[in-house]
Amino acid sequence: MITDVASYMNSVDSAAEYIKGFLPTAKEVPSVCIVLGSGLAPLASECEDCISIPYADIPGFPVSTVPGHEGRLLIGTLEGKRVFMMSGRFHYYEGYDTSVCTLYVRVMSKLGVKLLFLTNAAGGLLDEMKPSDLMVIEDHFSFFCDSPLRGPNLDEFGVRFPDQSFIYDKECVKLLLETSRELGITLHKGIYSYSKGPQYESPAEIRALKMLGVGAVGMSTVPEAIVAAHCGMKVAAVSCISNLAAGISKTALTHEEVMENANKSSRSNCDLVKNFIKKWSV
Ligand code: HPA
């Protein structure tokens, strides 16, 4: 929870000012920020005219601690569009407060970003899902998420009691589904439920979530989507189903299985994101 507003805003402002230094003209400021979850790392190498800034160099930014979530901000061009790419994100299970996990979202908002494109690895609950499938998120459960908006409201970003009816932009969901059909990629549509982690869910928890209509479970995305919506940004989000959720899967879950399946879906995941970006306009 934010206790010291001045110090938090100082971090947001110094990070934004530092990044602006790499964007000499207004036309170079991207309107989209893509967060590269597990399996999407190869997209970083497709970023053209790329500037790569380690998180550790950005004043006010936390530093990622998870192997495979290498921390750097990329600024460049993807499919002809200017983009920010976050290679590595911050998770509550690493010990960060949700207000810290989402600080970068507010920095992106300050820089003028209009769309936050979140990707993640998640456990799948839908009967028709197979490992390495993809799911576009159309809504979420934040029941188990410490609200990143708890504490004094940052009025310059948004209102105290923000509506949650339209977090995941409907046009983006439609465009992602259309794009997946054109590419021949299976894209499920569903609700993502947040888990604090780092432990995976128990089979009983998964049975309960399945009854509530949940399509996928994961340990990121929801705090970021809440903050982006609070800032008035649009949100699009895609989960890579890196495993069937606990109890649905016949075997014990491991991080290795998650990474392996996320990597298997990498090609289709990157193609989907790239082709979406090509078509998307502000
Ligand atoms: N549960 C929570 N988070 C996850 C999972 C899961 O099954 N797979 C990948 N991230």
Side-chain angles (χ1 to χ4, degrees), residues 121-124 195 199-201 206 217-219 240 242-246 253 258:
S195 296
Q199 76 283 6
Y200 294 114
E201 301 71 22
I206 294 298
V217 281
M219 303 173 196
C240 153
S242 52
N243 55 282
L244 297 179
L253 306 186
V258 166

Side-chain angles (χ1 to χ4, degrees), residues 71-173:
R72 59 204 171 103
L73 171 69
L74 309 176
I75 312 172
T77 305
L78 186 70
E79 296 292 331
K81 302 268 171 66
R82 298 283 299 156
V83 292
F84 286 117
M85 290 201 239
M86 293 280 297
S87 179
R89 54 148 63 93
F90 311 100
H91 303 85
Y92 180 81
Y93 64 74
E94 294 174 75
Y96 301 116
D97 189 84
T98 48
S99 62
V100 175
C101 298
T102 54
L103 186 135
Y104 82 87
V105 180
R106 293 187 165 118
V107 173
M108 290 296 140
S109 167
K110 279 251 165 184
L111 289 167
V113 165
K114 302 284 179 265
L115 173 67
L116 184 66
F117 194 130
L118 297 164
T119 67
N120 59 53
L125 280 76
L126 302 179
D127 294 337
E128 58 277 21
M129 277 175 169
K130 298 185 304 304
S132 300
D133 280 355
L134 302 175
M135 182 187 96
V136 55
I137 301 178
E138 57 175 351
D139 203 349
H140 69 216
F141 280 114
S142 68
F143 296 151
F144 306 116
C145 178
D146 280 358
S147 176
L149 306 179
R150 182 163 178 258
N153 185 52
L154 303 180
D155 296 332
E156 73 169 273
F157 290 109
V159 297
R160 171 74 292 189
F161 300 107
D163 178 53
Q164 304 290 280
S165 307
F166 307 103
I167 294 205
Y168 299 91
D169 185 67
K170 286 203 162 34
E171 288 304 313
C172 288
V173 172

Side-chain angles (χ1 to χ4, degrees), residues 241-259:
I241 304 304
S242 52
N243 55 282
L244 297 179
I248 299 178
S249 166
K250 300 284 166 273
T251 55
L253 306 186
T254 63
H255 182 59
E256 288 67 34
E257 172 194 0
V258 166
M259 295 310 288

